[in-house]
């Protein structure tokens, strides 16, 4: 479709909206169901499993609308409060939340959903009287609310009051995810991001049904989480970042708990990562006894990788790791601790194996499952361990062998899913060591059939990592994540049968006015005919 056609269609829709609004004023009592919606069930990102539009039917959210939630369910109630928080600023409506089941206004129910929707899916029905979302668990209601959000006019994303009408197109959606793990990663080690900046990113990724946020909490350039038994990790190891930044660049445990809770209220589980045995200069600089020669190296604010290693032969190394994992596990309601394991270029292969053989049981001892960059599969971890593939090739014998043993692989191929790669050679932010990744490249691959001899049944899901060597604030993060994060999120959520670049790029185009209304920076790739 050319730009002209899409613009014409948009003008048509805007005109119809205007006429509907005018006639509503003229007759005074026109039913809100007569307003023409400017959104479509066919524009949702990620694409739902099944949509059935009901032409001619609409629902308009009005000043008196209520949000009703499943009687007796505190979880449903929380999703209802979240929905109200999302919809109040732009509408200016009160939207009181109460328990109830009448299909008027917005109703969130935990009964009556098709069993197919599982724990994370939902059914959404828009009738002239309201929107009913049905699910079998709160996560499904949450996903349904994200869909409803995209069915309201784009200005719903504005933080200040806008004029309506708030019209939703009629029809129904049946929806559930392809993979149980749809992740994003944020590297808060190379550049530190404040609690508010991380919350902002959480809100942005939640809109695309991402359910895990992996935080890369320690690297050569900084240690970002308070560890009470080893306090200098944060106070000294967390005092610098790449570039001129200096200060208390870490989260206290209280702050971190707040982040975990906030993420949980957005349907997101945090996976904390402490990278080891390499990428550990910040720890080695903080405690001389962790170094084989007993001498602490200086803090580091450059961008080289692969030069640091914990001391494999010293018992104190494992006391240190045990303490860190214990404190981290206590802060982590989710099942995983990520122990890194990438680019251990300063650790010999036998030492790497010795290290992992000692550390993997510590993860289990603290009641958690291990996740690691895919290099750690060489050490033959338990099948419950999750290798995160970040390679640049489509063949990896070690990962294929792990998949054959039963490990479930998380897919983050650097040439497709790395959000820190530049879009093209002229893009001012990001790196290019793996690839230049335009939005079509980020979208056009199949996680279930990407790696040789790793079938879809061995795939846990996808994650889009955002490394921050060149990224210093929220605006930088957003320009790298949007529009590619929604592309990766769609690969994680939508059935492969919906996979089609032309269709995706048209749906993606409708996200632009939402980002603009919500103040989200994005890269306006020329591959997409963005809706104005
Ligand atoms: C690599 C490296 C990171 C870099 C990143 C930059 C992995 C798993 N280790 O990915 O330290 O920050 O590339 O793209």
């Amino acid at each position: 479709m050319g730009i002209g056609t899409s613009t014409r269609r948009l003008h048509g829709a805007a005109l119809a909206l205007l006429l509907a609004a005018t006639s509503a004023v003229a007759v005074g009592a026109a039913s809100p169901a007569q307003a023409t919606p400017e959104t479509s069930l066919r524009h949702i990102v990620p694409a739902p499993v099944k949509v059935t539009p009901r032409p001619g039917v609409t629902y308009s959210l009005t000043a008196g609308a209520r949000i009703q939630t499943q009687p007796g369910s505190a979880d449903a109630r929380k999703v209802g409060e979240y929905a109200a928080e999302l919809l109040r600023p732009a509408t200016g409506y009160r939207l009181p939340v109460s328990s109830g089941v009448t299909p008027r206004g917005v109703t969130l129910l935990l009964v009556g959903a098709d069993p197919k929707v599982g724990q994370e899916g939902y059914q959404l029905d828009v009738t002239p009287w309201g929107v009913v979302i049905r699910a079998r668990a709160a996560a499904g209601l949450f996903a349904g609310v994200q869909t409803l959000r995209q069915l309201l006019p784009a200005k719903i994303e504005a933080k200040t009051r806008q004029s309506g009408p708030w019209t939703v197109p009629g029809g129904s959606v049946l929806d559930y995810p392809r993979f149980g793990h749809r992740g994003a990663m944020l590297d808060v080690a190379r550049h530190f991001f404040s609690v508010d900046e991380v919350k902002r990113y959480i809100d942005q990724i939640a809109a695309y049904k991402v359910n895990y946020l992996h935080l890369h909490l320690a690297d050569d350039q900084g240690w970002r989480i308070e560890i009470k038994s080893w306090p200098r990790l944060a106070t000294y190891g967390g005092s610098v970042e790449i570039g001129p930044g200096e200060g208390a660049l870490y989260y206290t445990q209280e702050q971190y708990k707040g982040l975990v809770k906030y993420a949980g209220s957005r349907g997101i589980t945090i996976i904390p990562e402490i990278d080891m045995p390499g990428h550990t200069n910040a720890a080695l600089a903080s405690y001389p006894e962790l170094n084989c020669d007993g001498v602490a190296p200086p803090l580091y604010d450059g961008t080289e990788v692969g030069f640091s290693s914990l001391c494999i032969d010293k018992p104190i190394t494992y006391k240190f790791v045990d303490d860190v994992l214990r404190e981290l596990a206590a802060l982590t309601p989710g099942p995983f601790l990520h122990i890194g394991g990438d680019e251990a270029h300063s650790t010999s292969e036998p030492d790497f194996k010795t290290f992992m053989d000692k550390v993997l049981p510590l993860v289990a001892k603290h009641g958690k499952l291990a996740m690691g960059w895919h290099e750690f599969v060489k050490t033959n971890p338990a099948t419950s361990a999750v290798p995160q593939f970040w390679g640049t090739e489509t063949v990896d014998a070690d990962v294929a062998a792990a998949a054959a043993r039963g490990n479930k692989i998380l897919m983050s191929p650097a040439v497709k899913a790395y959000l820190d790669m530049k879009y093209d050679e002229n893009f001012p932010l990001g790196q290019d060591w793996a690839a230049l990744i335009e939005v079509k490249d980020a979208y056009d691959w199949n996680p279930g059939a990407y790696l040789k001899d790793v079938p879809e049944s061995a795939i846990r899901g996808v994650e889009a990592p955002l490394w921050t060597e060149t990224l210093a604030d929220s605006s930088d993060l957003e320009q790298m994540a949007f529009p590619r994060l929604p592309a990766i999120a769609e690969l994680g959520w939508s059935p492969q049968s919906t996979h089609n670049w032309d269709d995706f790029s048209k749906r993606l185009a409708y996200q632009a006015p939402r980002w603009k209304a919500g103040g989200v920076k994005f890269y306006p790739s020329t591959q997409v005919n963005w809706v104005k």
Side-chain angles (χ1 to χ4, degrees):
M1 187 210 285
I3 295 182
T5 326
S6 77
T7 318
R8 267 204 306 284
R9 182 192 281 177
L10 202 72
H11 281 155
L15 194 67
L17 195 72
L18 203 68
L19 289 174
T22 325
S23 70
V25 171
V27 298
S31 149
Q34 290 170 4
T36 304
E38 61 186 77
T39 58
S40 160
L41 288 149
R42 304 236 181 256
H43 294 164
I44 297 163
V45 178
V49 172
K50 188 170 177 218
V51 300
T52 314
R54 238 166 260 139
V57 172
T58 61
Y59 164 68
S60 292
L61 193 70
T62 53
R66 312 179 76 83
I67 295 182
Q68 296 174 83
T69 63
Q70 180 69 43
S73 168
D75 287 348
R77 174 79 184 215
K78 279 187 207 148
V79 181
E81 300 285 358
Y82 165 80
E85 268 174 48
L86 274 183
L87 307 181
R88 278 175 192 142
T91 61
Y93 299 160
R94 279 185 54 237
L95 301 173
V97 182
S98 59
S99 73
V101 297
T102 49
R104 295 188 173 274
V106 175
T107 310
L108 307 179
L109 298 178
L110 287 173
V111 291
D114 187 324
K116 262 196 227 144
V117 304
Q119 291 300 293
E120 293 193 277
Y122 64 93
Q123 276 177 288
L124 178 149
D125 290 285
V126 182
T127 69
W129 305 280
V131 179
V132 180
I133 300 175
R134 292 185 179 82
R136 292 161 73 86
L141 294 178
F142 189 86
V145 167
Q146 299 309 332
T147 294
L148 168 59
R149 196 173 168 184
Q150 290 189 30
L151 293 175
L152 284 156
K155 62 191 171 200
I156 195 69
E157 300 298 331
K159 309 280 187 297
T160 55
R161 190 173 177 162
Q162 312 289 310
S163 52
W166 301 103
T167 304
V168 181
S172 56
V173 177
L174 170 71
D175 201 12
Y176 48 87
R178 176 179 178 189
F179 296 112
H181 192 131
R182 303 164 310 275
M185 186 210 83
L186 184 60
D187 170 11
V188 296
R190 271 53 177 276
H191 277 98
F192 180 66
F193 293 86
S194 69
V195 167
D196 284 345
E197 286 169 323
V198 178
K199 285 184 177 171
R200 187 178 163 89
Y201 197 55
I202 286 172
D203 282 334
Q204 291 167 353
I205 63 180
Y208 297 98
K209 305 187 173 94
V210 166
N211 62 344
Y212 283 95
L213 175 65
H214 164 186
L215 288 177
H216 185 75
L217 289 169
D219 210 302
D220 292 319
Q221 297 86 347
W223 187 285
R224 308 297 178 203
I225 175 84
E226 175 191 16
I227 299 294
K228 298 198 173 173
S229 52
W230 296 73
R232 269 175 65 82
L233 290 170
T235 55
Y236 182 68
S239 63
V240 299
E241 61 179 358
I242 292 179
E246 260 180 55
L249 307 178
Y250 65 90
Y251 311 116
T252 65
Q253 292 201 357
E254 281 312 304
Q255 288 175 323
Y256 186 82
K257 279 185 208 160
L259 271 181
V260 168
K261 190 160 172 237
Y262 189 83
S265 74
R266 268 72 181 146
I268 291 178
T269 301
I270 290 193
I271 301 174
E273 177 188 354
I274 299 294
D275 206 343
M276 53 183 125
H279 290 275
T280 42
N281 189 76
L284 296 168
S286 305
Y287 288 96
E289 59 269 41
L290 293 177
N291 297 268
C292 286
D293 62 3
V295 179
L299 292 170
Y300 180 71
D301 63 3
T303 57
E304 291 303 309
V305 296
F307 61 88
S308 55
S309 177
L310 291 173
C311 187
I312 307 304
D313 296 336
K314 276 189 163 179
I316 195 169
T317 295
Y318 304 97
K319 162 96 175 95
F320 160 76
V321 174
D322 192 16
D323 287 341
V324 169
L325 294 182
R326 176 174 30 82
E327 292 196 35
L328 212 53
L331 295 169
T332 303
F336 295 109
L337 298 184
H338 198 304
I339 53 171
D342 58 319
E343 300 176 314
H345 305 320
S346 301
T347 320
S348 68
E349 277 221 13
D351 274 1
F352 186 76
K353 177 147 178 48
T354 303
F355 180 81
M356 285 297 168
D357 286 350
K358 289 192 180 176
V359 166
L360 285 164
L362 297 178
V363 177
K365 173 178 150 192
H366 298 300
K368 299 294 173 186
L369 302 174
M371 194 170 273
W373 299 106
H374 72 259
E375 287 99 314
F376 91 143
V377 295
K378 286 184 290 202
T379 69
N380 207 352
T383 52
S384 60
V386 175
Q388 182 171 5
F389 176 76
W390 65 282
T392 55
E393 308 291 328
T394 54
V395 183
D396 188 302
D398 293 330
V399 173
R405 291 195 295 271
N407 295 84
K408 300 285 181 241
I409 317 297
L410 183 63
M411 293 295 289
S412 303
V415 296
K416 296 287 184 188
Y418 267 33
L419 299 179
D420 62 316
M421 291 299 124
K422 290 176 182 288
Y423 293 91
D424 62 35
E425 61 269 25
N426 299 320
F427 199 71
L429 301 169
Q431 314 200 61
D432 60 4
W433 69 263
L436 297 170
I437 306 181
E438 250 291 1
V439 55
K440 187 171 193 286
D441 305 311
Y443 176 76
D444 245 346
W445 59 289
N446 177 359
Y450 185 78
L451 272 181
K452 184 166 181 289
D453 298 331
V454 180
E456 171 141 356
S457 58
I459 299 300
R460 180 177 164 82
V462 292
E463 181 191 285
L466 186 42
W467 300 100
T468 59
E469 285 93 335
T470 67
L471 314 172
D473 59 23
S474 287
S475 155
D476 291 351
L477 298 182
E478 289 163 19
Q479 291 177 70
M480 303 311 274
F482 298 95
R484 294 179 296 190
L485 182 277
I488 305 295
E490 171 143 329
L491 296 181
W493 180 279
S494 306
Q496 176 64 17
S497 58
T498 63
H499 194 266
N500 177 301
W501 163 255
D502 287 338
D503 181 62
F504 175 68
S505 65
K506 278 173 200 151
R507 285 183 290 109
L508 190 60
Y510 283 91
Q511 301 300 306
R514 294 179 184 277
W515 295 329
K516 284 183 193 158
V520 180
K521 283 251 169 60
F522 69 102
Y523 168 65
S525 164
T526 55
Q527 294 184 329
V528 177
N529 286 330
W530 298 104
V531 170
K532 293 280 177 293

